[in-house]
Amino acid sequence: MPESGPSTPGHIPTERPKAAIPAPTGADDAPGPRTGADDPPGPGTGTGAPTAPPAAEGTGPVAARRVGLLVTLVLGGLTALPPLSMDMYLPALPEVTQALHAPAATVQLTLTACLTGMALGQLVVGPMSDKWGRRRPLLVGMLLYIAATAVCALAPSPELLIAFRLVQGLAGAAGIVIARAVVRDLYDGVEMARFFSTLMLISGVAPIVAPLIGGQILRITDWRGVFHVLTLVGVLLTLVVWKWLGETLPPAKRHSGGVGEALRTMRGLLADRVFSGYMLAGGLAFAALFAYISASPFVVQEIYGASPQTFSLLFGINSVGLVAVGQINGKLLVGRVSMDKVLGFGLVVIALAAGALLLMTSGVFGDVGLVPVAAGLFVLMSAMGVTLPNTSAQALMRTPHAAGSASALLGTSSFLVGAVASPLVGIAGEATAVPMAVVQLVCALGAVACFVGLCRPWRRQAVGA
């Protein structure tokens, strides 16, 4: 494949007429909005930017904004489902260890199982969405998610809980991979990067609110109540998808091949060194994030003695940092500063924060207490706001021909590496936070190495990429 991505990515106007958004009713085979890469250049633009189709009678900018906002909220809900499934459950982890009479390492496997399911499920759902469209695989996945989550609420043993958390992850993968593929169907270039930052604002509310909700649920019921609430969320989101999210991949752009073609497509994507560099950099950065997610309930509550409510508050503050930096990226940096420069800066900040956390948790500065450690975690989380959306945007800009498969590979790499990182953070027991910091630092340095060694942004900029 060529060394560089599209040199003149198309621009999709954010204010599209209502007629440009496919209707959900009977829309499985309806043509979706056209991407900038497929449209002819607009008159007098010379940039490949399509002009907006004429508005239908009774529609205009207000209706276009309303429809566009609705699609944005639906996609935001789909990307928010994974952090809801993970983070609402986090304050209950110590209680689950007691209720099911299982060690902390075993209970952390419930997180690993869910992540593994989300990783493997994306490998299946991504190619399916390229073949059959986005809407039908998504609805089937959401129904399976509801059933699996309901069984988790009734699990009598840690083994059964782990098994159905795996199924929950497999089914929930549909929302993750298809949301990204829909964005690739609708946008390109700078607009796609901005849209990913907008999704981060919406989905970022989930990790802010989820632990707070989880902590409050634990005030009135036990850990099973968390899964009852997640089941209800799944039902509501499925209804929203069924009613308001139309098909965005027209039949003419679907892949007719089977498993063999899907594997060949993925092999071709992995052969693209730059795509693989962004994929690995984003996956390792996500692993550093998930090391914090899986270890922080024990670090904050067991080691530093905070209550579940205090942990939820700190987790929410860190998520606010991630969302705020994500919005700075989308509103101020994208289109003005090279995405590679912003991405490189974010990876360096993550590595420095992880190094500082290792020094603090290993006792180099003595007993530093919760506040400095929380500050280091805040910096690490905030830097994810420029790292995760930019790695996804840069990778997907190279793959307009197979957005579903590319989205699957991006998600699978992130969740598989995160699933490996999860049990490692508890390998030394519940009395030390050093393994968390070590995993974070190793992952951050690995992400920097992949970005520099595989993406080679300075070389691509020199040739006009």
Side-chain angles (χ1 to χ4, degrees):
M1 295 181 68
E3 184 75 5
S4 63
S7 59
T8 57
H11 170 80
I12 302 298
T14 55
E15 294 187 1
R16 356 175 141 252
K18 188 172 183 180
I21 304 295
T25 304
D28 286 336
D29 296 317
R34 302 170 67 182
T35 62
D38 301 312
D39 283 293
T45 62
T47 63
T51 58
E57 186 176 354
T59 66
V62 174
R65 282 194 295 269
R66 184 167 60 249
V67 174
L69 176 62
L70 194 57
V71 173
T72 302
L73 292 175
V74 173
L75 296 180
L78 292 174
T79 56
L81 192 60
L84 278 177
S85 301
M86 293 289 179
D87 302 341
M88 193 183 295
Y89 173 64
L90 291 179
L93 284 179
E95 182 181 324
V96 175
T97 62
Q98 299 174 6
L100 298 182
H101 307 289
T106 300
V107 173
Q108 283 176 326
L109 286 177
T110 62
L111 296 175
T112 301
C114 190
L115 268 183
T116 303
M118 289 180 180
L120 299 178
Q122 290 182 72
L123 286 178
V124 176
V125 177
M128 285 174 59
S129 73
D130 282 339
K131 181 177 181 180
W132 292 315
R134 314 303 186 197
R135 182 173 162 82
R136 282 176 288 185
L138 176 58
L139 288 172
V140 171
M142 293 300 300
L143 292 175
L144 290 176
Y145 173 88
I146 294 169
T149 307
V151 174
C152 287
L154 305 174
S157 66
E159 293 79 15
L160 193 62
L161 180 59
I162 291 171
F164 276 91
R165 285 284 277 176
L166 176 65
V167 178
Q168 184 191 42
L170 287 168
I176 308 168
V177 67
I178 291 178
R180 270 198 305 262
V182 169
V183 174
R184 186 63 186 91
D185 291 340
L186 299 175
Y187 298 96
D188 200 357
V190 170
E191 290 301 316
M192 181 168 58
R194 286 176 177 160
F195 197 91
F196 275 126
S197 293
T198 301
L199 284 186
M200 181 164 287
L201 171 63
I202 299 170
S203 62
V205 173
I208 296 171
V209 175
L212 298 174
I213 296 175
Q216 297 307 311
I217 290 173
L218 294 178
R219 285 180 173 270
I220 58 177
T221 184
D222 61 6
W223 62 272
R224 299 181 189 276
V226 174
F227 286 105
H228 289 306
V229 173
L230 285 173
T231 302
L232 179 60
V233 170
V235 171
L236 294 176
L237 186 55
T238 302
L239 293 175
V240 169
V241 168
W242 177 78
K243 183 173 179 60
W244 281 302
L245 184 62
E247 182 59 65
T248 61
L249 185 67
K253 294 186 178 180
R254 297 178 190 177
H255 294 189
S256 58
V259 176
E261 181 180 343
L263 292 177
R264 285 191 295 272
T265 299
M266 289 185 176
R267 186 167 61 246
L269 292 173
L270 293 174
D272 179 359
R273 173 176 52 77
V274 180
F275 173 85
S276 295
Y278 287 122
M279 179 187 72
L280 291 173
L284 289 167
F286 180 83
L289 171 64
F290 197 75
Y292 158 73
I293 291 174
S294 58
S296 59
F298 298 98
V299 170
V300 174
Q301 296 179 73
E302 302 296 328
I303 297 178
Y304 292 100
S307 67
Q309 289 71 38
T310 300
F311 161 73
S312 300
L313 178 62
L314 291 175
F315 198 94
I317 291 173
N318 290 340
S319 299
V320 168
L322 186 151
V323 172
V325 173
Q327 290 312 291
I328 293 173
N329 176 68
K331 304 298 183 184
L332 300 179
L333 300 180
V334 171
R336 295 180 175 88
V337 182
S338 164
M339 278 192 278
D340 280 328
K341 291 181 179 179
V342 177
L343 174 57
F345 175 78
L347 290 173
V348 169
V349 171
I350 292 172
L352 292 175
L357 284 168
L358 179 58
L359 293 176
M360 288 187 286
T361 56
S362 60
V364 172
F365 302 124
D367 186 7
V368 297
L370 177 59
V371 173
V373 172
L377 292 171
F378 175 81
V379 173
L380 185 145
M381 281 279 284
S382 298
M384 296 291 173
V386 295
T387 302
L388 300 181
N390 286 345
T391 52
S392 295
Q394 290 285 68
L396 286 173
M397 272 195 287
R398 301 180 64 83
T399 59
H401 57 288
S405 296
S407 177
L409 287 174
L410 290 173
T412 296
S413 62
S414 296
F415 284 103
L416 278 181
V417 179
V420 172
S422 175
L424 294 179
V425 299
I427 199 170
E430 304 174 31
T432 175
V434 171
M436 176 192 74
V438 169
V439 170
Q440 289 174 330
L441 182 57
V442 170
C443 290
L445 294 176
V448 172
C450 289
F451 176 64
V452 173
L454 295 177
C455 299
R456 302 177 188 175
W458 66 91
R459 181 176 299 179
R460 290 165 42 242
Q461 289 171 4
V463 297

mmCIF file of all heavy atoms in Angstrom, residues 109-137:
data_model
loop_
_atom_site.group_PDB
_atom_site.id
_atom_site.type_symbol
_atom_site.label_atom_id
_atom_site.label_comp_id
_atom_site.label_asym_id
_atom_site.label_seq_id
_atom_site.Cartn_x
_atom_site.Cartn_y
_atom_site.Cartn_z
ATOM 1 N N LEU A 109 -10.564 -10.922 36.633
ATOM 2 C CA LEU A 109 -10.762 -11.652 35.383
ATOM 3 C C LEU A 109 -12.135 -11.371 34.774
ATOM 4 O O LEU A 109 -12.328 -11.591 33.577
ATOM 5 C CB LEU A 109 -10.594 -13.158 35.617
ATOM 6 C CG LEU A 109 -9.159 -13.650 35.833
ATOM 7 C CD1 LEU A 109 -9.154 -15.151 36.126
ATOM 8 C CD2 LEU A 109 -8.290 -13.337 34.623
ATOM 9 N N THR A 110 -13.095 -10.885 35.577
ATOM 10 C CA THR A 110 -14.380 -10.499 34.986
ATOM 11 C C THR A 110 -14.192 -9.302 34.056
ATOM 12 O O THR A 110 -14.903 -9.178 33.050
ATOM 13 C CB THR A 110 -15.408 -10.166 36.077
ATOM 14 O OG1 THR A 110 -14.948 -9.047 36.855
ATOM 15 C CG2 THR A 110 -15.627 -11.349 37.001
ATOM 16 N N LEU A 111 -13.251 -8.427 34.380
ATOM 17 C CA LEU A 111 -12.920 -7.324 33.477
ATOM 18 C C LEU A 111 -12.169 -7.840 32.249
ATOM 19 O O LEU A 111 -12.443 -7.440 31.121
ATOM 20 C CB LEU A 111 -12.069 -6.278 34.203
ATOM 21 C CG LEU A 111 -12.724 -5.552 35.384
ATOM 22 C CD1 LEU A 111 -11.708 -4.639 36.054
ATOM 23 C CD2 LEU A 111 -13.925 -4.773 34.938
ATOM 24 N N THR A 112 -11.209 -8.745 32.499
ATOM 25 C CA THR A 112 -10.442 -9.309 31.400
ATOM 26 C C THR A 112 -11.350 -10.044 30.414
ATOM 27 O O THR A 112 -11.195 -9.935 29.199
ATOM 28 C CB THR A 112 -9.369 -10.277 31.940
ATOM 29 O OG1 THR A 112 -8.517 -9.564 32.832
ATOM 30 C CG2 THR A 112 -8.543 -10.858 30.812
ATOM 31 N N ALA A 113 -12.320 -10.815 30.956
ATOM 32 C CA ALA A 113 -13.228 -11.569 30.092
ATOM 33 C C ALA A 113 -14.059 -10.641 29.221
ATOM 34 O O ALA A 113 -14.243 -10.880 28.016
ATOM 35 C CB ALA A 113 -14.136 -12.456 30.946
ATOM 36 N N CYS A 114 -14.557 -9.560 29.805
ATOM 37 C CA CYS A 114 -15.364 -8.611 29.036
ATOM 38 C C CYS A 114 -14.523 -7.947 27.942
ATOM 39 O O CYS A 114 -14.969 -7.800 26.800
ATOM 40 C CB CYS A 114 -15.965 -7.573 29.972
ATOM 41 S SG CYS A 114 -17.219 -6.518 29.211
ATOM 42 N N LEU A 115 -13.310 -7.574 28.287
ATOM 43 C CA LEU A 115 -12.419 -6.966 27.299
ATOM 44 C C LEU A 115 -12.074 -7.943 26.185
ATOM 45 O O LEU A 115 -12.061 -7.583 25.003
ATOM 46 C CB LEU A 115 -11.131 -6.494 27.981
ATOM 47 C CG LEU A 115 -11.082 -5.060 28.484
ATOM 48 C CD1 LEU A 115 -9.724 -4.757 29.054
ATOM 49 C CD2 LEU A 115 -11.413 -4.094 27.369
ATOM 50 N N THR A 116 -11.779 -9.183 26.560
ATOM 51 C CA THR A 116 -11.452 -10.187 25.550
ATOM 52 C C THR A 116 -12.627 -10.399 24.602
ATOM 53 O O THR A 116 -12.453 -10.509 23.378
ATOM 54 C CB THR A 116 -11.075 -11.509 26.220
ATOM 55 O OG1 THR A 116 -9.978 -11.296 27.118
ATOM 56 C CG2 THR A 116 -10.683 -12.554 25.186
ATOM 57 N N GLY A 117 -13.828 -10.463 25.162
ATOM 58 C CA GLY A 117 -15.017 -10.607 24.330
ATOM 59 C C GLY A 117 -15.186 -9.442 23.376
ATOM 60 O O GLY A 117 -15.495 -9.633 22.185
ATOM 61 N N MET A 118 -14.971 -8.232 23.862
ATOM 62 C CA MET A 118 -15.087 -7.063 22.994
ATOM 63 C C MET A 118 -14.041 -7.086 21.889
ATOM 64 O O MET A 118 -14.301 -6.663 20.754
ATOM 65 C CB MET A 118 -14.951 -5.791 23.818
ATOM 66 C CG MET A 118 -16.147 -5.513 24.715
ATOM 67 S SD MET A 118 -15.950 -3.994 25.678
ATOM 68 C CE MET A 118 -17.506 -3.981 26.591
ATOM 69 N N ALA A 119 -12.846 -7.598 22.206
ATOM 70 C CA ALA A 119 -11.790 -7.673 21.195
ATOM 71 C C ALA A 119 -12.137 -8.690 20.116
ATOM 72 O O ALA A 119 -12.090 -8.391 18.915
ATOM 73 C CB ALA A 119 -10.461 -8.038 21.870
ATOM 74 N N LEU A 120 -12.500 -9.907 20.521
ATOM 75 C CA LEU A 120 -12.789 -10.963 19.548
ATOM 76 C C LEU A 120 -14.076 -10.677 18.785
ATOM 77 O O LEU A 120 -14.169 -10.974 17.584
ATOM 78 C CB LEU A 120 -12.879 -12.311 20.264
ATOM 79 C CG LEU A 120 -11.600 -12.767 20.982
ATOM 80 C CD1 LEU A 120 -11.834 -14.097 21.692
ATOM 81 C CD2 LEU A 120 -10.438 -12.879 20.006
ATOM 82 N N GLY A 121 -15.064 -10.110 19.466
ATOM 83 C CA GLY A 121 -16.326 -9.810 18.804
ATOM 84 C C GLY A 121 -16.170 -8.825 17.667
ATOM 85 O O GLY A 121 -16.846 -8.931 16.633
ATOM 86 N N GLN A 122 -15.246 -7.884 17.817
ATOM 87 C CA GLN A 122 -15.049 -6.894 16.760
ATOM 88 C C GLN A 122 -14.477 -7.525 15.498
ATOM 89 O O GLN A 122 -14.781 -7.090 14.380
ATOM 90 C CB GLN A 122 -14.132 -5.785 17.263
ATOM 91 C CG GLN A 122 -14.798 -4.913 18.319
ATOM 92 C CD GLN A 122 -13.893 -3.786 18.784
ATOM 93 O OE1 GLN A 122 -13.656 -2.833 18.066
ATOM 94 N NE2 GLN A 122 -13.398 -3.898 19.999
ATOM 95 N N LEU A 123 -13.646 -8.570 15.655
ATOM 96 C CA LEU A 123 -13.104 -9.250 14.485
ATOM 97 C C LEU A 123 -14.204 -9.913 13.666
ATOM 98 O O LEU A 123 -14.064 -10.089 12.449
ATOM 99 C CB LEU A 123 -12.084 -10.310 14.919
ATOM 100 C CG LEU A 123 -10.729 -9.800 15.407
ATOM 101 C CD1 LEU A 123 -9.866 -10.967 15.852
ATOM 102 C CD2 LEU A 123 -10.025 -9.001 14.324
ATOM 103 N N VAL A 124 -15.286 -10.291 14.323
ATOM 104 C CA VAL A 124 -16.410 -10.921 13.629
ATOM 105 C C VAL A 124 -17.367 -9.859 13.089
ATOM 106 O O VAL A 124 -17.768 -9.884 11.918
ATOM 107 C CB VAL A 124 -17.154 -11.889 14.566
ATOM 108 C CG1 VAL A 124 -18.376 -12.477 13.874
ATOM 109 C CG2 VAL A 124 -16.220 -12.990 15.043
ATOM 110 N N VAL A 125 -17.728 -8.902 13.941
ATOM 111 C CA VAL A 125 -18.749 -7.927 13.574
ATOM 112 C C VAL A 125 -18.248 -6.960 12.504
ATOM 113 O O VAL A 125 -19.002 -6.563 11.614
ATOM 114 C CB VAL A 125 -19.231 -7.155 14.813
ATOM 115 C CG1 VAL A 125 -20.240 -6.082 14.421
ATOM 116 C CG2 VAL A 125 -19.858 -8.111 15.816
ATOM 117 N N GLY A 126 -16.971 -6.577 12.559
ATOM 118 C CA GLY A 126 -16.443 -5.634 11.570
ATOM 119 C C GLY A 126 -16.628 -6.111 10.136
ATOM 120 O O GLY A 126 -17.254 -5.424 9.321
ATOM 121 N N PRO A 127 -16.104 -7.292 9.781
ATOM 122 C CA PRO A 127 -16.335 -7.791 8.416
ATOM 123 C C PRO A 127 -17.812 -8.035 8.108
ATOM 124 O O PRO A 127 -18.251 -7.837 6.970
ATOM 125 C CB PRO A 127 -15.544 -9.114 8.398
ATOM 126 C CG PRO A 127 -14.471 -8.930 9.425
ATOM 127 C CD PRO A 127 -15.117 -8.097 10.506
ATOM 128 N N MET A 128 -18.602 -8.469 9.105
ATOM 129 C CA MET A 128 -20.035 -8.650 8.877
ATOM 130 C C MET A 128 -20.693 -7.340 8.466
ATOM 131 O O MET A 128 -21.552 -7.305 7.579
ATOM 132 C CB MET A 128 -20.709 -9.188 10.150
ATOM 133 C CG MET A 128 -20.463 -10.658 10.433
ATOM 134 S SD MET A 128 -21.141 -11.150 12.034
ATOM 135 C CE MET A 128 -22.861 -10.728 11.810
ATOM 136 N N SER A 129 -20.282 -6.243 9.095
ATOM 137 C CA SER A 129 -20.886 -4.949 8.765
ATOM 138 C C SER A 129 -20.457 -4.463 7.392
ATOM 139 O O SER A 129 -21.186 -3.716 6.741
ATOM 140 C CB SER A 129 -20.531 -3.906 9.834
ATOM 141 O OG SER A 129 -19.170 -3.513 9.736
ATOM 142 N N ASP A 130 -19.261 -4.866 6.937
ATOM 143 C CA ASP A 130 -18.846 -4.531 5.574
ATOM 144 C C ASP A 130 -19.631 -5.337 4.544
ATOM 145 O O ASP A 130 -19.810 -4.901 3.406
ATOM 146 C CB ASP A 130 -17.346 -4.804 5.394
ATOM 147 C CG ASP A 130 -16.479 -3.710 6.004
ATOM 148 O OD1 ASP A 130 -16.985 -2.592 6.203
ATOM 149 O OD2 ASP A 130 -15.295 -3.979 6.283
ATOM 150 N N LYS A 131 -20.111 -6.510 4.939
ATOM 151 C CA LYS A 131 -20.830 -7.374 4.002
ATOM 152 C C LYS A 131 -22.329 -7.119 4.012
ATOM 153 O O LYS A 131 -22.971 -7.068 2.959
ATOM 154 C CB LYS A 131 -20.549 -8.836 4.346
ATOM 155 C CG LYS A 131 -21.238 -9.831 3.417
ATOM 156 C CD LYS A 131 -20.874 -11.264 3.763
ATOM 157 C CE LYS A 131 -21.555 -12.240 2.808
ATOM 158 N NZ LYS A 131 -21.217 -13.657 3.111
ATOM 159 N N TRP A 132 -22.938 -6.979 5.198
ATOM 160 C CA TRP A 132 -24.392 -6.884 5.321
ATOM 161 C C TRP A 132 -24.891 -5.495 5.706
ATOM 162 O O TRP A 132 -26.088 -5.301 5.905
ATOM 163 C CB TRP A 132 -24.893 -7.905 6.349
ATOM 164 C CG TRP A 132 -24.733 -9.322 5.880
ATOM 165 C CD1 TRP A 132 -25.046 -9.814 4.648
ATOM 166 C CD2 TRP A 132 -24.215 -10.418 6.628
ATOM 167 N NE1 TRP A 132 -24.765 -11.159 4.585
ATOM 168 C CE2 TRP A 132 -24.252 -11.561 5.778
ATOM 169 C CE3 TRP A 132 -23.723 -10.564 7.919
ATOM 170 C CZ2 TRP A 132 -23.822 -12.816 6.198
ATOM 171 C CZ3 TRP A 132 -23.293 -11.816 8.335
ATOM 172 C CH2 TRP A 132 -23.337 -12.925 7.472
ATOM 173 N N GLY A 133 -24.001 -4.541 5.851
ATOM 174 C CA GLY A 133 -24.418 -3.216 6.279
ATOM 175 C C GLY A 133 -24.255 -3.059 7.781
ATOM 176 O O GLY A 133 -23.966 -4.014 8.509
ATOM 177 N N ARG A 134 -24.453 -1.835 8.246
ATOM 178 C CA ARG A 134 -24.184 -1.534 9.659
ATOM 179 C C ARG A 134 -25.355 -1.876 10.585
ATOM 180 O O ARG A 134 -25.160 -2.274 11.725
ATOM 181 C CB ARG A 134 -23.865 -0.040 9.812
ATOM 182 C CG ARG A 134 -22.885 0.534 8.801
ATOM 183 C CD ARG A 134 -21.550 -0.175 8.773
ATOM 184 N NE ARG A 134 -20.602 0.495 7.883
ATOM 185 C CZ ARG A 134 -19.502 -0.060 7.425
ATOM 186 N NH1 ARG A 134 -19.198 -1.311 7.741
ATOM 187 N NH2 ARG A 134 -18.685 0.618 6.628
ATOM 188 N N ARG A 135 -26.582 -1.752 10.087
ATOM 189 C CA ARG A 135 -27.752 -1.743 10.964
ATOM 190 C C ARG A 135 -28.103 -3.123 11.533
ATOM 191 O O ARG A 135 -28.285 -3.284 12.742
ATOM 192 C CB ARG A 135 -28.941 -1.159 10.187
ATOM 193 C CG ARG A 135 -30.213 -1.041 10.975
ATOM 194 C CD ARG A 135 -31.252 -0.303 10.138
ATOM 195 N NE ARG A 135 -32.599 -0.518 10.634
ATOM 196 C CZ ARG A 135 -33.145 0.138 11.641
ATOM 197 N NH1 ARG A 135 -32.433 1.065 12.265
ATOM 198 N NH2 ARG A 135 -34.383 -0.106 12.019
ATOM 199 N N ARG A 136 -28.184 -4.143 10.683
ATOM 200 C CA ARG A 136 -28.626 -5.450 11.154
ATOM 201 C C ARG A 136 -27.652 -6.100 12.136
ATOM 202 O O ARG A 136 -28.079 -6.586 13.200
ATOM 203 C CB ARG A 136 -28.894 -6.370 9.949
ATOM 204 C CG ARG A 136 -30.234 -6.080 9.280
ATOM 205 C CD ARG A 136 -30.450 -6.935 8.040
ATOM 206 N NE ARG A 136 -29.608 -6.515 6.932
ATOM 207 C CZ ARG A 136 -29.666 -7.036 5.718
ATOM 208 N NH1 ARG A 136 -30.517 -8.017 5.453
ATOM 209 N NH2 ARG A 136 -28.883 -6.593 4.756
ATOM 210 N N PRO A 137 -26.319 -6.150 11.853
ATOM 211 C CA PRO A 137 -25.401 -6.722 12.853
ATOM 212 C C PRO A 137 -25.442 -5.969 14.175
ATOM 213 O O PRO A 137 -25.293 -6.574 15.243
ATOM 214 C CB PRO A 137 -24.029 -6.597 12.177
ATOM 215 C CG PRO A 137 -24.320 -6.549 10.721
ATOM 216 C CD PRO A 137 -25.614 -5.808 10.602
#
